[in-house]
Amino acid sequence: MAGFEKLTSNAVPLDSANVDTDQIIPKQFLTAVTRAGFGKHLFHDWRYLDLHEQEPNPEFVLNKPQHQGAEILLARENFGCGSSREHAPWSLTDYGFKAIIANSFADIFYGNCMNNQLLPIALSSEQMDAIFSAVESDANTQICVDLKQQTVTCGDATFNFEIAEHHKHNMILGLDTIGQTMQSGDAIDQYETTISDWYQ
Amino acid sequence: MAQTMYEKIWQRHLVDQIGEDVLLYIDRHLIHEVTSPQAFSGLQEKGRKVRRPDKTFATMDHSISTRSLAIDACGPANQLQLQTLMKNCEENNIQLFPIGHEKQGIVHVIGPELGLILPGMTVVCGDSHTATHGAFGALAFGIGTSQVEHVLATQTLKQGKAKTMLVNVSGKLANGVTAKDIILAIIGKIGHAGATGYVIEYAGSAIEALSMEERMTICNMSIEAGAKAGLVAPDQTTFDYIEGREFAPTGETWEKAVEDWKTLVSDANAEFDTVVELNGNDIAPQVTWGTNPGQVAAIDQTVPSPTDFNDHVEQGSAEKALTYMDLQPGQAISDITVNNVFIGSCTNSRIEDLRSAAAIAKQGKVADNVTAIVVPGSAKVKLQAEQEQLDKIFIEAGFEWRLPGCSMCLGMNDDILKPGDRCASTSNRNFEGRQGRGARTHLVSPAMAAAAALNGRFVDVRKFEDA
Ligand code: SF4
């Protein structure tokens, strides 16, 4: 996968808390056996007025002409809660998002993003308020994410964000984490010789 | 140093340190049709093999019909997904319990039922309700498909350590109050994201008194509080449940295992990052009124007003939820009418759940305007219920008696609600559209769901005999 260092883009301001993965990608799209093509179903229930995805809901923020082409999604508290379905980050990346900036994220979703080169960034509510109001008053506001420096810049303001060292490293290099772990093959072999009989 | 149960299990599973990463060994891996296909194709693309097929077990549950055992009963897309699972299991030598198999059922029901889950294990599944298995004192958590692939390839996972939360439920439950009411009350208290970043340990007299099935109901919904996992300390109740089950150890190994498991409990002076206290005596039957499980009230309360919340995020969520749910602030919970009832899901589809619902069902008939279905959690639960003639009680009262599966918990099959339908459901999520676009879900216990079916609205089960 391609590495992630810097990103500058406009953003889609989704001003909702507790957006769950059932909202991000509803169950009827989970029957697929590949990872591709989920983007058109992203936020299906909110985004379309009909079941066949023919009538976009003009009120939904993703459909507003001024937010087209954005690679950053803004959201609020507890984004990605609920089901562990990785179809959620697959649909976000397939749509074209590369980063999500929100007040907080649910744990499983956060980890799933990291495994799909989709950068989840948590900022404080004051910082989020500032970014939301900048984007809402001017949809062209460019937000710059710098992963190496761990900063988000919006207008004159620059905010720092936290990310675990190993997540940062893997994200910057776009690493295959399974390949990495397989290099610990000897340690795994060794561990397996110590497992108690009742777990065998 | 004094340690919590979580820290003990964590330490026992450390395999390696790669930079900042800790590599954790995984003892048990459960898979199902929805979150595994892309993991297997990922392995194949890279020419990787399943490291320990003997530690992985598969079932079909999410996208199957509850009316027919035919693999194509829910259309070609579901069929292809089920066939893909069959092919993947066959090619990789993984044991699969397909539709119609005597051991088939919802992944979180069959794992414990077969004795596949033991205290002190690490258990994962591409499914957030893997937390269920924490009831056995196993560190069990849901993972995404990339991690399913990682476990298949390496039998390990890279993990960061969680914070610890002790939820202490003292006292004793009133008649008619169940494990479901305890966990809904906990989530109501700490909030839908209140335990994000934590592993919860449930303790106290009200927890110790619970059966294993009830403990599973509690741990199951840990994820609805945002927690990574839930744990209950293994005790005699745990050992009695596991002993003699198909995959459980036997003889001398069993004796040694039990001795070991007794040492897993948190040390008396172990410190938790957060402690939450509830009194079981104060818990009444719970009903959710909103669109996340933290939006919950007792049966004798009213629907709150957004202005009752201090926090502006909660206010906004409440406003949005009341609009979606078509409810008014101040409306009595017992005045909410329903036209659907679903008894099932990995939260509440075990034999004790069905017994408790049947005890209410036999006291009346399903109201005229209500459609009510009962979906046992596994083929074994279904068989047991039929031996106890619970199916007859349900059918007699006007409920439909179905085949095991996830069913209307998420509606990946044809068990799906229409816009505007209102459902009393024993499942775990009341999210917008979860049971069908535009449908409204109220989470309750099995007894409360059965009582709602008979009355066409929510009623206090404490008023029924044998509740
Ligand atoms: S019953 Fe519902 S929550 Fe449980 S595994 Fe199935 S879909 Fe998930």
Side-chain angles (χ1 to χ4, degrees):
Chain A
M1 275 189 270
F4 186 122
E5 275 193 35
K6 261 191 188 175
L7 166 69
T8 303
S9 165
N10 56 326
V12 179
L14 177 62
D15 199 354
S16 296
N18 299 314
V19 173
D20 58 77
T21 53
D22 276 88
Q23 283 323 316
I24 298 173
I25 182 93
K27 66 231 164 195
Q28 62 267 37
F29 306 112
L30 305 189
T31 51
V33 292
T34 63
R35 293 177 197 237
F38 289 103
K40 59 179 183 290
H41 310 305
L42 175 67
F43 295 122
H44 168 91
D45 283 3
W46 290 339
R47 187 167 156 203
Y48 301 102
L49 295 169
D50 65 323
L51 290 174
H52 305 292
E53 307 189 333
Q54 298 301 311
E55 282 178 74
N57 175 2
E59 297 300 313
F60 185 54
V61 67
L62 204 68
N63 292 332
K64 303 244 161 126
Q66 65 269 33
H67 297 310
Q68 298 310 303
E71 294 178 322
I72 297 175
L73 177 67
L74 304 179
R76 291 293 189 174
E77 289 79 3
N78 200 25
F79 189 81
C81 59
S83 156
S84 62
R85 60 188 70 163
E86 200 162 312
H87 312 69
W90 295 338
S91 59
L92 288 158
T93 53
D94 188 52
Y95 180 85
F97 289 118
K98 297 198 164 66
I100 308 171
I101 311 178
N103 299 45
S104 60
F105 295 89
D107 287 342
I108 302 177
F109 177 80
Y110 188 89
N112 285 344
C113 286
M114 291 297 180
N115 284 325
N116 287 282
Q117 288 297 96
L118 175 61
L119 181 64
I121 298 173
L123 295 178
S124 73
S125 25
E126 292 74 35
Q127 294 167 341
M128 288 310 300
D129 287 347
I131 300 180
F132 266 102
S133 74
V135 171
E136 275 157 4
S137 60
D138 176 7
N140 270 326
T141 303
Q142 296 294 300
I143 297 172
C144 175
V145 174
D146 186 328
L147 179 53
K148 273 204 170 138
Q149 300 301 322
Q150 297 181 217
T151 56
V152 172
T153 305
C154 174
D156 300 335
T158 294
F159 309 121
N160 295 305
F161 65 88
E162 306 225 343
I163 179 170
E165 208 41 55
H166 62 284
H167 281 148
K168 180 175 172 178
H169 180 76
N170 291 350
M171 187 72 91
I172 288 175
L173 297 176
L175 280 185
D176 163 23
T177 58
I178 296 179
Q180 236 183 355
T181 300
M182 288 179 103
Q183 294 174 5
S184 297
D186 290 347
I188 304 172
D189 288 343
Q190 167 57 31
Y191 180 90
E192 283 181 334
T193 65
T194 66
I195 298 174
S196 306
D197 290 351
W198 46 91
Y199 296 133
Q200 294 297 344
Chain B
M1 220 183 83
Q3 283 183 310
T4 62
M5 180 172 20
Y6 170 63
E7 284 154 352
K8 291 183 187 182
I9 301 175
W10 175 269
Q11 222 159 47
R12 286 179 173 204
H13 289 86
L14 297 181
V15 172
D16 203 2
Q17 188 96 22
I18 311 172
E20 298 276 310
D21 286 349
V22 165
L23 206 57
L24 218 55
Y25 195 79
I26 302 302
D27 295 310
R28 182 66 70 222
H29 186 197
L30 304 172
I31 60 174
H32 62 70
E33 70 272 27
V34 178
T35 56
S36 65
Q38 295 87 350
F40 283 104
S41 53
L43 287 183
Q44 207 172 20
E45 280 160 27
K46 293 250 163 52
R48 289 172 178 151
K49 284 218 280 288
V50 177
R51 182 184 171 95
R52 292 295 301 263
D54 57 322
K55 292 185 185 276
T56 299
F57 288 81
T59 186
M60 295 178 176
D61 54 3
H62 280 66
S63 62
I64 61 175
S65 169
T66 58
R67 301 172 201 263
S68 157
L69 293 175
I71 195 161
D72 59 355
C74 291
N78 294 33
Q79 181 186 1
L80 174 64
Q81 195 169 55
L82 295 165
Q83 284 168 337
T84 305
L85 181 69
M86 285 160 74
K87 179 174 148 283
N88 286 332
C89 288
E90 201 174 291
E91 287 176 1
N92 293 285
N93 221 358
I94 291 168
Q95 251 195 78
L96 165 69
F97 308 125
I99 303 174
H101 194 283
E102 55 171 23
K103 292 175 199 155
Q104 175 271 340
I106 303 176
V107 64
H108 310 306
V109 175
I110 66 159
E113 186 175 77
L114 296 172
L116 286 167
I117 310 300
L118 304 174
M121 274 184 164
T122 44
V123 181
V124 297
C125 172
D127 197 289
S128 58
H129 290 97
T130 310
T132 311
H133 311 286
F136 292 82
L139 177 58
F141 52 93
I143 56 178
T145 298
S146 298
Q147 291 171 304
V148 170
E149 186 180 334
H150 194 284
V151 174
L152 288 171
T154 69
Q155 205 58 38
T156 64
L157 267 184
K158 282 179 189 156
Q159 286 291 299
K161 209 159 169 193
K163 291 179 282 187
T164 53
M165 178 185 286
L166 178 69
V167 175
N168 196 53
V169 190
S170 59
K172 198 168 170 281
L173 299 182
N175 237 7
V177 179
T178 68
K180 182 65 163 286
D181 304 303
I182 299 184
I183 186 64
L184 285 172
I186 293 171
I187 300 166
K189 182 173 168 122
I190 67 175
H192 178 39
T196 302
Y198 287 89
V199 165
I200 301 177
E201 180 171 343
Y202 303 95
S205 53
I207 302 292
E208 285 159 25
L210 298 176
S211 70
M212 284 316 295
E213 296 195 357
E214 294 171 308
R215 293 178 190 181
M216 285 187 242
T217 300
I218 302 232
C219 288
N220 173 274
M221 289 189 71
S222 301
I223 183 75
E224 270 66 55
K228 170 142 195 125
L231 288 167
V232 175
D235 60 8
Q236 199 54 46
T237 306
T238 320
F239 310 143
D240 291 345
Y241 177 97
I242 300 170
E243 191 171 11
R245 290 189 186 257
E246 184 173 345
F247 290 92
T250 53
E252 211 179 305
T253 315
W254 168 259
E255 302 297 331
K256 277 201 270 177
V258 171
E259 282 319 301
D260 176 57
W261 297 338
K262 287 179 181 166
T263 68
L264 280 176
V265 301
S266 291
D267 297 327
N269 47 352
E271 279 186 30
F272 291 82
D273 296 305
T274 304
V275 177
V276 176
E277 300 277 351
L278 269 85
N279 186 338
N281 302 47
D282 300 340
I283 300 175
Q286 305 281 305
V287 181
T288 62
W289 50 266
T291 52
N292 78 55
Q295 294 176 322
V296 64
I299 178 68
D300 46 14
Q301 291 179 325
T302 55
V303 174
S305 157
T307 55
D308 295 346
F309 300 93
N310 297 326
D311 181 287
H312 78 277
V313 178
E314 278 184 51
Q315 271 179 16
S317 291
E319 224 162 88
K320 221 171 135 236
L322 292 182
T323 307
Y324 182 85
M325 296 297 287
D326 191 26
L327 295 174
Q328 302 304 321
Q331 193 175 350
I333 298 284
S334 57
D335 281 342
I336 301 174
T337 57
V338 299
N339 65 345
N340 276 274
V341 172
F342 169 59
I343 298 176
S345 89
C346 58
T347 313
N348 282 129
S349 64
R350 299 178 180 83
I351 191 68
E352 290 175 13
D353 298 314
L354 302 191
R355 285 180 193 140
S356 126
I360 301 292
K362 70 171 182 235
Q363 299 181 48
K365 293 267 182 259
V366 172
D368 284 344
N369 58 332
V370 174
T371 307
I373 65 172
V374 184
V375 185
S378 71
K380 280 180 186 283
V381 171
K382 180 168 182 283
L383 183 66
Q384 171 82 27
E386 287 168 358
Q387 282 166 355
E388 297 179 21
Q389 311 222 329
L390 302 184
D391 58 326
K392 296 220 169 53
I393 295 177
F394 285 122
I395 293 166
E396 180 84 350
F399 291 80
E400 292 175 37
W401 178 248
R402 297 287 188 84
L403 298 167
C406 293
S407 179
M408 202 182 275
C409 175
L410 93 164
M412 268 190 78
N413 58 6
D414 51 354
D415 300 332
I416 188 159
L417 298 176
K418 297 187 298 300
D421 278 348
R422 192 182 289 283
C423 183
S425 177
T426 66
S427 56
N428 42 51
R429 287 190 173 133
N430 51 348
F431 297 156
E432 279 185 32
R434 170 84 177 178
Q435 297 189 299
R437 185 171 169 146
R440 301 170 179 130
T441 302
H442 296 272
L443 304 177
V444 288
S445 72
M448 284 289 288
L454 304 190
N455 290 274
R457 62 182 181 84
F458 291 109
V459 290
D460 193 337
V461 279
R462 291 174 297 185
K463 294 181 184 141
F464 280 76
E465 283 172 46
D466 309 327

